[in-house]
């Protein structure tokens, strides 16, 4: 695309009543943001938004195209040779020195390097491994809900959603119980400001805290990896460090990078989906009653609808490597795009009544785990099993657990994070919010 065409697109975006590059946009109520996405889907071609560097910044102004239609997000996701993840799928992109010290996360790799690493990692997500994990997940869900009932918990995220997602990953990895509390603390520190706009002082201080947390996590898993190489125990870390794919297992740095990704991405996304599930089923008692009456019939479609409706990951970035025409737009190398899953999952061209929460929705080609292609989420099946297991336990108890009040959401352009959600037990007859 010529600079004149890009300027024209930017001017068009300037005429919009909102700006996706403005941190203030991501603090708007979710309904307003979804309305903005719907407006963008009606445009002839993707809008271009300028990210302003701010006073004193040395880099020039940069921008991105917002890919908001389901078809465009899928096309970009499946053409990794055109729309690349490297050097970073999140914003801001990781500095080179961070990548050198901590290693490249799999989400930021392309081509042979990504394919080779994914082949090694995929050995840990075979049907046999996941089948073995499923029995443990069902037992964990029962313990969590038993504890909710016994302790009459009043905050759902910490008591159930976070615990479910975190303990499943720790069990699969083989993380010893004594070290889990500290790892959970480091996960929170590493992920608490993902996609959040910060003051200058916070931009200087907070990354250091997050990087220290990543460093501590990687030191922990490095020690576990060395131990598992000497004495494999059948857990996920053992599988990763002893795998033999093209003569290669994960190196210590690769293991650390994957551990960080699994802990932050695997835990946070599933946690948020579970937290949104409680609020959605409280706000839609007819859907909750339908799921309760015939859980096995509707559980799978309910989980997919929860993920579609809440979209735990809002967006990822891609970098254009080759000239390409899509959605009425000509892209050139150097362009950047935002894959807006939160918009694609409400695309009227794909979903009938997209703003309606319907657990019977079928088909449901949502992009909650990505748009396909080489970066499709390896843990998608595991996440579905976790959500389904906890919902089964919650809905099978004599007294219903409901959300109380609105969830406390994080202001992020990356994930649809639920920081906390008050909850209460009630009789089956009164299941709506006050």
């Amino acid at each position: 695309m010529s600079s004149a065409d890009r300027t024209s697109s930017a001017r068009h975006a300037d005429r919009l009543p909102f700006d996706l590059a403005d941190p203030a946009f991501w603090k708007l109520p979710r309904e307003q943001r979804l309305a903005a996405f719907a407006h963008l889907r009606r445009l002839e071609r993707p809008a271009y938004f300028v990210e302003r560097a701010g006073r004193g910044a040395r880099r020039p102004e940069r921008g991105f195209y917002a890919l908001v239609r389901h078809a465009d997000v899928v096309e970009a996701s499946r053409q990794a040779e055109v729309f690349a993840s490297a050097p970073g799928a999140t914003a801001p992109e990781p500095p080179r020195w961070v990548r050198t010290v901590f290693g490249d996360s799999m989400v930021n790799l392309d081509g042979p390097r990504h394919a080779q690493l994914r082949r090694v990692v995929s050995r840990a997500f075979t049907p046999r491994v996941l089948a073995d994990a499923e029995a443990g997940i069902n037992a964990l869900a029962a313990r969590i809900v038993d504890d909710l009932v016994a302790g009459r918990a009043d905050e759902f995220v910490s008591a159930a959603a976070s615990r479910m997602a975190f303990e499943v990953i720790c069990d699969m990895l083989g993380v010893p119980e004594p070290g889990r509390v500290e790892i959970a603390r480091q996960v929170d520190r590493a992920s608490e400001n993902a996609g959040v706009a910060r003051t200058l002082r916070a931009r200087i201080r907070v990354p250091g805290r997050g990087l220290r947390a990543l460093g501590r996590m990687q030191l922990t898993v490095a020690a576990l990896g060395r131990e598992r190489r000497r004495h494999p125990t059948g857990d996920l870390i053992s599988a990763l460090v002893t795998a033999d794919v093209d003569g290669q297992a994960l190196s210590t740095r690769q293991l650390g990078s994957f551990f960080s990704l699994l802990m932050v991405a695997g835990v946070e996304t599933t946690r948020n989906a579970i937290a949104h599930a409680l609020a959605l089923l409280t706000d839609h008692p007819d859907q909750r009653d339908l799921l309760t009456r015939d859980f096995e019939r509707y559980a799978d479609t309910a989980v997919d609808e929860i993920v579609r409706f809440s979209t735990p990951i809002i967006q990822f970035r891609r970098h254009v490597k080759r000239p390409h025409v899509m959605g009425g737009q000509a892209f050139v190398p150097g362009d950047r795009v935002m894959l807006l899953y939160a918009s694609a999952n409400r695309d009227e061209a794909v979903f009938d009544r997209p703003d309606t929460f319907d657990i019977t929705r079928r088909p449901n080609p949502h992009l909650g785990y990505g748009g396909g292609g080489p970066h499709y989420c390896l843990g998608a099946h595991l996440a579905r099993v976790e959500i389904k297991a906890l919902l089964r336990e919650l809905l099978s108890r004599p007294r219903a657990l409901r959300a109380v009040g609105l969830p406390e959401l994080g202001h992020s352009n990356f994930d649809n994070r639920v920081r906390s959600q008050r909850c209460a037990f009630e009789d089956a007859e009164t299941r709506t919010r006050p």
Side-chain angles (χ1 to χ4, degrees), residues 277-289 395 399-406 421-434:
L278 181 67
L280 286 170
L281 293 174
T282 300
D283 287 342
H284 300 86
D286 59 326
Q287 299 296 296
R288 179 170 186 155
D289 290 343
L395 297 176
R399 300 191 67 194
L401 183 72
R402 65 179 176 90
V404 175
L406 297 176
Q421 172 65 72
R422 293 178 56 228
C423 61
F425 289 93
E426 61 179 10
D427 295 327
E429 290 77 14
T430 56
R431 289 181 173 170
T432 57
R433 292 186 193 239

Side-chain angles (χ1 to χ4, degrees), residues 12 28 144-145 190 248 280 299 306 311 335:
H12 180 74
L28 295 174
I144 288 174
V145 177
Q248 182 185 6
L280 286 170
I306 288 165
T311 311
D335 285 343

Side-chain angles (χ1 to χ4, degrees), residues 14 133 162:
D14 285 342
S162 289

